[in-house]
Amino acid sequence: MIQITPRQLLVLWALLAAGLVGLGAGCGRPGGGASGDEPLRIFAAASTAEWIGELALAFEGGAGQPVLGGSSDLARQIEAGAPADVFVSANRKWAEYLIEGGRAAGPARLVAGNRLVAVAGPGAGFEPARVGDPGALLQALPAGARLGIAVEGVPAGDYARAALDSLGLGAAAAPRLVGLADVRAVLRSVEAGDLPAGFVYASDARAAAVRVLFAFDPKLHPPIEYLAVNVAPPERRARAQAFLDSLESPSARARLVELGFEAGP
């Protein structure tokens, strides 16, 4: 019996979705499916959902619904051949991974920053007001309760693990962590009460009914950087570049700050 891993399933899904979009766009015109005037295909870190979604909707060249997820999974989907034009990563590693692999036209653009925070949901099972740091959070957790964190390889999870390690809490925290697909999956689980607390970005905390317990000192982990890169084929590269330019417009940067991100340079 053939076994398909979750990562392979994600790649297959992305390829199928992109194929269906291309088929629909090509109906009714000769040579449809390969034209450079099809909607822009954007793959973006889950934490950028609102910002990138709004920019895609307003893009004059026309853009489809962004494909959202963990930066690591999205990068591997693109590497495996999923049709894409723009990739927005929640860290430098996965943007440069595609450039070094010849799958993207560099350089990558630094478009935003963020902060890492711990959040609690409405049914946390402890008194949030008394939790002001990671050590206090671990002590306050009810017996058997676990903390939400993005899986290893996904930037949000990697930042959180690095911060815990810097504080000497990595080993103590490990048995209390449950890995989820991306930072928005963590946010949804905490908001729904499936988990009492979790680690997300400051911008995510503003998008849900959760309470921020504390923010991590940025010095405890690598800089949280969002980089955008052009992964379009040559005939679509100019349109992808136009979208990348739109990310740095004054209105886009102002909206970025409103959503809780830090503006890029």
Side-chain angles (χ1 to χ4, degrees):
M1 180 177 179
I2 298 175
Q3 298 291 328
I4 299 179
T5 67
R7 193 178 303 280
Q8 290 171 326
L9 188 60
L10 277 170
V11 173
L12 290 171
W13 176 87
L15 288 169
L16 178 60
L20 290 175
V21 169
L23 179 61
C27 290
R29 72 171 182 264
S35 173
D37 62 359
E38 292 172 9
L40 202 68
R41 303 163 300 196
I42 304 167
F43 281 43
S47 54
T48 68
E50 289 78 21
W51 187 54
I52 292 298
E54 291 174 10
L55 291 174
L57 190 63
F59 182 55
E60 290 186 4
Q65 184 71 23
V67 176
L68 303 168
S71 299
S72 55
D73 280 327
L74 296 177
R76 290 190 176 107
Q77 289 174 32
I78 294 169
E79 180 185 39
D85 299 310
V86 170
F87 173 50
V88 182
S89 172
N91 72 359
R92 183 174 296 275
K93 171 184 174 180
W94 292 107
E96 293 182 346
Y97 175 82
L98 292 179
I99 293 173
E100 292 168 2
R103 188 59 183 84
R109 294 191 185 192
L110 176 60
V111 294
N114 217 326
R115 293 289 301 275
L116 184 68
V117 301
V119 295
F126 57 85
E127 177 49 58
R130 297 185 179 182
V131 175
D133 58 67
L137 176 57
L138 290 174
Q139 292 179 358
L141 281 181
R146 304 178 76 184
L147 294 168
I149 189 171
V151 295
E152 291 186 24
V154 173
D158 290 346
Y159 292 132
R161 289 181 180 85
L164 292 171
D165 286 341
S166 294
L167 291 168
L169 296 172
R176 311 300 301 273
L177 302 177
V178 56
L180 299 176
D182 56 52
V183 71
R184 284 303 172 96
V186 174
L187 186 69
R188 289 192 297 268
S189 293
V190 173
E191 183 180 31
D194 297 330
L195 293 171
F199 304 121
V200 300
Y201 296 123
S203 58
D204 294 303
R206 297 172 62 126
V210 295
R211 175 171 180 168
V212 175
L213 300 174
F214 57 84
F216 283 91
D217 183 340
K219 296 178 182 178
L220 295 174
H221 54 73
I224 299 176
E225 300 175 320
Y226 289 79
L227 286 97
V229 64
N230 193 328
V231 294
E235 68 276 10
R236 299 172 61 89
R237 199 162 289 167
R239 293 183 61 232
Q241 199 64 36
F243 184 80
L244 291 177
D245 291 340
S246 77
L247 299 180
E248 298 178 322
S249 70
S251 60
R253 290 166 65 87
R255 181 59 177 149
L256 188 75
V257 174
E258 288 177 0
L259 291 170
F261 292 85
E262 297 176 354

